[in-house]
Amino acid sequence: HKDGGGPIPSGWGRGPQATVMIRAYPDYRECIVTQKLSGQDALFLHLDRPHAATHIMGVHIYDQSTLQGQKLGFRQIVRHLEGRVLDASPVFRRKIVQVPFGLGYPYWVEDDLFDIDFHVRHFALPKPGDWRQFCILVSRIHARALDLSRSPWEMYVIEGLDNVEGI
């Protein structure tokens, strides 16, 4: 840290790119931790265009029948993410802030307005829930640009993929 404002909180890099800023106000003090994006990450942001996105997407298909008669609900998935993933890896609660006039690499900062319900979304395929419907929905989701005023990730729970051989 550059200003001697205290140790860098856990989950932030320990290299020279991490900075702790302390702002003092009459009623309270504010600690802001930032970390500069790497050159490669900044390049991906710079190259991202509405017609040529640089974000990536992964698709995982889970079989509900392995739960032996139980059903895993959407809110259970959200609670699991909140309780284990987000607490263990604070990077998911960070957003990107641009340097004024683009005079440097952007920075990671804590997203004070982080809302798990914005990032984890729920969809259901219409009947018959076939592979074609699933692929159309996934391609529409992937075609959207990420909202970079928030943490740059989204997760979609899609139910109803019922009419596919082997699934």
Side-chain angles (χ1 to χ4, degrees):
H1 58 292
K2 293 182 179 178
D3 67 352
I8 296 173
S10 65
W12 288 91
R14 301 277 183 225
Q17 303 297 332
T19 304
V20 176
M21 296 182 288
I22 305 293
R23 291 183 182 163
Y25 298 96
D27 297 338
Y28 70 98
R29 289 179 61 184
E30 176 180 50
C31 175
I32 300 172
V33 180
T34 66
Q35 187 169 16
K36 191 182 291 189
L37 266 68
S38 70
Q40 183 177 17
D41 290 341
L43 177 64
F44 273 105
L45 279 180
H46 178 72
L47 295 175
D48 199 39
R49 298 287 180 262
H51 65 281
T54 59
H55 62 267
I56 60 170
M57 175 183 222
V59 174
H60 302 270
I61 297 175
Y62 297 97
D63 182 1
Q64 287 272 2
S65 69
T66 61
L67 296 175
Q68 302 165 347
Q70 300 175 5
K71 184 166 172 70
L72 181 63
F74 175 71
R75 294 305 325 161
Q76 289 174 282
I77 294 169
V78 173
R79 282 194 303 274
H80 173 77
L81 286 170
E82 283 179 311
R84 299 185 83 188
V85 177
L86 295 177
D87 289 344
S89 185
V91 70
F92 289 107
R93 295 181 186 271
R94 296 180 190 152
K95 66 180 181 178
I96 297 169
V97 175
Q98 297 288 340
V99 174
F101 307 112
L103 296 175
Y105 291 159
Y107 281 82
W108 288 109
V109 298
E110 291 291 327
D111 185 356
D112 295 332
L113 302 175
F114 181 83
D115 178 8
I116 188 73
D117 291 321
F118 174 84
H119 295 279
V120 183
R121 299 173 184 179
H122 189 206
F123 283 108
L125 293 175
K127 294 289 182 190
D130 60 20
W131 193 248
R132 181 182 162 281
Q133 292 170 316
F134 177 74
C135 289
I136 289 170
L137 178 58
V138 168
S139 67
R140 287 180 179 162
I141 291 169
H142 189 64
R144 294 180 49 245
L146 291 172
D147 179 354
L148 294 180
S149 69
R150 296 174 174 261
S151 299
W153 66 274
E154 296 173 356
M155 178 180 167
Y156 294 83
V157 176
I158 303 171
E159 292 185 39
L161 185 59
D162 299 326
N163 195 23
V164 177
E165 184 76 24
I167 296 180

